[in-house]
Amino acid sequence: MWLKPEEVLLKNALKLWVTERSNDFFLLQRRRGHGEPTGRITGLLVGALDTVLDSNARVTPFRILLQVPGSQISWVIASGAAIEEVNKHWDWLVHNLLHSLSVFENKEDVASFVKGKVKGLIAEEVRSRQAAQEDDPEKFREALLKFELHFGLPSSEKLVTYYSCCCWKGRVPRQGFLYLSINHVAFYSFLLGKEVKFVIPWAEVTRLERVSTGLMTEAIRVSTRLRQREFSMFLNLEEAFLVIGQLADISVRRLLDSEGLELDRVLQQPTRITKRILEEQALREYVLALFRLPRGERLHEVVSCSVWTPHARCHTAGTLYTTDSYLCFSSRDEGNCILLIPLSEVLSIEKAESTSPLPNPIIVSIRTKKAFQLIELQDRDELVERLNSRLRALQWKWSMFRSRKGSRSTVHVMFECCYNSVQLCSVTVSVTQFSLNLCQNMEQVKERLWEDHFSEFGRGVHMFRTEKIQRLIAMGIPESLRGELWMTLSDASSDLESHQGYYISMVQQSMGHNNLATEEIERDLHRSLPDHPAFQNPTGIAALRRVLTAYAHRNPKIGYCQSMNILASVLLLYAKEEEAFWLLVAVCERMLPNYFNRRVIGAQVDQSVFEELISERLPELAEHVPDLSALSSVSLSWFLTLFLSVLPFHSAVCVVDCFFFHGIKAIFQLGLAVLDANAAHLSASTDDGQALMILTRMFIVCYLLIVFSFCFSSGQKFGDLTVQQIERLRCRHRVQVLQAHEDMIKENAVRTEMSLNSAAAAEAAAWCYSDLSHSFMERQYRLDRPQFKSLYGLLVPWPGGSDQSTDTVANRTFTLMDQDCDNLVSFREFASWLDTLYCEELNEKWEFIQFCKTLYSMFHGDPDENDLFQAIAKVTSLVLQIGEVGHRGHSLGSEAASQKQVTPGDAGVDASRGDGSSVAEKEWTVSYAQILASLLTEQVLVNFFEKPVDLSAKIAAAKEKQYHQRAGLLTMQQRTR
């Protein structure tokens, strides 16, 4: 264990300790006599000395010393009773600290740095042990006080966790603590008399990486739009990296995304987020992805157990995951044995008699007269009680559903496959190999193999999924079983069973509707599989139309996206129409989450993950093709269409077979195999264009014939890729993709505003979606009245006055700008307002301030305050005189009544937006032009309104003030709960 550094005299310790390992800064020593043959006098003396000492002072047999070259004083920093424990600490020091210490010129600084680092590791170890025992340990409270003291953030800023680490400043590491809160990542260090501290909002993080460069060991790099920060020497770098990625992902999704990617309910309130919540959410995401469960499923129990596997004649150890509607089991080695039991199939869950060979067993009986035995369950009684409670609730729900729905309708819209088999060349291959030849004898062989598999491993959703089924699927599922197995492997069959009549109702409700989705569907119907006979007749086209429009009606957030037509058409070839609908639901909502929306965020996240996997798994190719993002123009279609758009049909459906069994992992593996097979050609390419040409050539298919049979075997080159690795990569890369989208939208909005002069031209260049009255950029960046008033007070160029006056001006400015009366101000209108305030002359600027009830409040705090007051007094007198003259002579008459006017008694009336009503002759009036002319007579007022102001500095100050305003509001909301 790590020890608080204590001084020892090295020369006095040489007789009691033997040095086993050493370097320039550290010594690993063994207590003399420990582990030595008996009989040596020195060993006996040291052993006797240790024996007579009391238990509290007894010395551990191994220790690590920090030594400074040339000094007789060293410091004990670690000790242990076993050599394995001390070697672990030694390896950490060598790997993380040794190379970094050479940058210190003063050797005393080396000692201070290492001692500070060891103290930080001790604090983190204590925090980890205590956190496992209680929710709010004392060490965490101490860290929270330091966090609040060092950074001065609002009390509402919840600290989630903290880590001891080093931040690199140039070539010098600064030992300190990294604090992770719900909105920020903060670092504090005070070492060698120097203080280093900074705060980075999660919303500004654009990229997270694990890097290893120069003297640094493996480090976490946090990038923003302006700079990079690198942190290393974590006690547990993997855990820290995962938590950082989760917090950044949650914050960016909460602040930036407005289309899909909804956060789970527990994460929608940031103040409830804890490190334990993050761990539970990471586990839930992994379970949903591994078993391809509906996104709404909640994870309840996670229990170690063993399941009796009849095919292996033994119990297989693994983990049981229970959710709202499923019992899920996975062996310890991911993918070796998976069992999925929908609660809708379960008849009973009962305890059996516990024996020595079968401790704490339970029996799960299902409707097909099968039963599963689980043993070695801790807290078995409570687990069974909770499972039976959920089972009873589900059975009651089903009984109520059936009583309302009655028997299932026998009127189903069926799809008839009317295509001719495509004859391929007959090539004799081994049955254990994947083959693209679908000759009749091969089909019969595969059908017989599957029937044997069903008899041994079970049939239906709850069959055992092992390596044997992986090999059968890699060979290609028989045509006669493909629809059934797709429904089974995706568990779309459970959705179909629990939503009887749902598809027919969706078809009926969507009939007659004409919108953007239906127009796009009609345009793509004949492009789905244009060479396939099944979609060259009205029957096939009508079925495809019904499936796509029914899904668009079910899920308007997705509606219809390109490539959905290709997927749906292939599903229809092997499944009934209603089954194809539920398969499409499973693909779009569970197996490829967030793929099919306007921005294809999910697909782009996986493209980013794919690039990292290429760099990691194919380093030579990544070295020759430095810009891997260029590959996405080709590989994006691989992911969106599951290779259906680039492979011959009978090859592509075999990819779909593997996809339904493995999920997205199959597409990653096949994509890596394709690039690996073409690595030599890609490396020899001279530019990106040539590389892309190579990837799009048809000879890729020839390589696929070779690599596909090995692609999904656990022993092949990419077979060790796991669902857990993919989910962690997705979490981290989603931050980068969302920030890139946000930057692109902002850049396009600013570019459009700067380059286009007319509204018509702006609309033509905008991204028009379902709301045709506004471009996407305008709908993405719009302000309501409270938001605009807040920004008005922060950005207005003059010093400002009373809150009431500022609020009045802001209100009436908003009304003036809201020309379409939708109570929203677009980005274009807001930018024009800023441009007018900071760049235009007084003639243009005055229209934004003409509604002030008084001008005096605007000048408070200005250096020329007295001169401005005198000038406005003169202007007021002049306006009064003009008004009196006009009133006496009634010279304005009906002409004045039709003009835009204000009264001195209520100068806040909206003169620029007159309602056309006539003004009574007896009213005292003055025109806007007369007020403006009066103001122009005083140069000091002209100078005040035309004085240049630094907008960037104003915005920087506004950001800081706005943050504290929001934090204060959040604090008040929490107190009122």
Side-chain angles (χ1 to χ4, degrees), residues 599-810:
R599 297 184 293 164
V600 291
I601 292 293
Q604 293 200 45
V605 170
D606 281 352
Q607 288 300 294
S608 186
V609 171
F610 190 47
E611 291 174 20
E612 179 165 338
L613 289 175
I614 295 171
S615 299
E616 177 186 329
R617 303 300 184 100
L618 302 171
E620 295 182 0
L621 175 61
E623 182 180 352
H624 287 88
V625 186
D627 185 13
L628 293 174
S629 61
L631 298 176
S632 63
S633 60
V634 174
S635 59
L636 181 61
S637 65
W638 300 353
F639 285 76
L640 282 172
T641 65
L642 308 180
F643 282 88
L644 289 166
S645 62
V646 295
L647 289 178
F649 177 77
H650 286 91
S651 302
V653 292
C654 293
V655 176
V656 179
D657 293 342
C658 296
F659 168 74
F660 276 116
F661 183 79
H662 290 276
I664 194 62
K665 180 176 73 171
I667 307 303
F668 279 111
Q669 290 175 318
L670 182 54
L672 291 171
V674 170
L675 295 181
D676 189 30
N678 288 279
H681 298 280
L682 291 170
S683 299
S685 61
T686 57
D687 54 47
D688 293 340
Q690 186 179 357
L692 296 178
M693 187 181 299
I694 292 172
L695 283 176
T696 54
R697 284 177 181 169
M698 288 304 296
F699 72 81
I700 288 181
V701 178
C702 301
Y703 280 113
L704 285 174
L705 298 177
I706 301 172
V707 303
F708 194 80
S709 60
F710 305 102
C711 185
F712 304 106
S713 170
S714 59
Q716 62 90 38
K717 188 172 183 179
F718 310 110
D720 59 339
L721 184 64
T722 65
V723 172
Q724 188 173 54
Q725 292 172 352
I726 293 173
E727 285 303 305
R728 290 183 175 181
L729 289 172
R730 278 175 164 177
C731 176
R732 180 159 51 85
H733 284 272
R734 190 157 45 236
V735 175
Q736 178 183 342
V737 171
L738 283 175
Q739 291 284 26
H741 267 275
E742 186 75 3
D743 289 345
M744 181 183 67
I745 293 172
K746 289 177 180 177
E747 289 172 3
N748 286 338
V750 174
R751 188 182 299 112
T752 300
E753 181 62 31
M754 293 177 64
S755 61
L756 300 177
N757 297 322
S758 67
E763 290 297 327
W767 304 341
C768 291
Y769 292 133
S770 57
D771 184 359
L772 299 179
S773 62
H774 292 283
S775 70
F776 176 74
M777 291 178 292
E778 288 179 317
R779 289 184 287 109
Q780 185 79 357
Y781 300 105
R782 293 196 290 176
L783 300 172
D784 58 18
R785 189 178 295 267
Q787 291 171 328
F788 176 79
K789 287 165 62 177
S790 174
L791 288 177
Y792 185 97
L794 294 171
L795 297 176
V796 71
W798 40 79
S802 65
D803 293 337
Q804 182 178 0
S805 299
T806 302
D807 185 75
T808 300
V809 177

Side-chain angles (χ1 to χ4, degrees), residues 28-85:
L28 190 157
Q29 296 183 332
R30 171 180 54 83
R31 189 73 167 173
R32 190 178 294 276
H34 182 81
E36 295 180 355
T38 58
R40 293 186 180 180
I41 186 61
T42 55
L44 293 174
L45 291 175
V46 174
L49 176 64
D50 292 341
T51 301
V52 299
L53 292 176
D54 62 274
S55 58
N56 292 330
R58 193 166 294 169
V59 180
T60 54
F62 298 98
R63 71 179 185 180
I64 297 177
L65 300 181
L66 164 66
Q67 65 173 4
V68 177
S71 174
Q72 292 297 315
I73 298 178
S74 296
W75 292 266
V76 181
I77 59 174
S79 67
I83 187 62
E84 293 80 11
E85 179 185 4

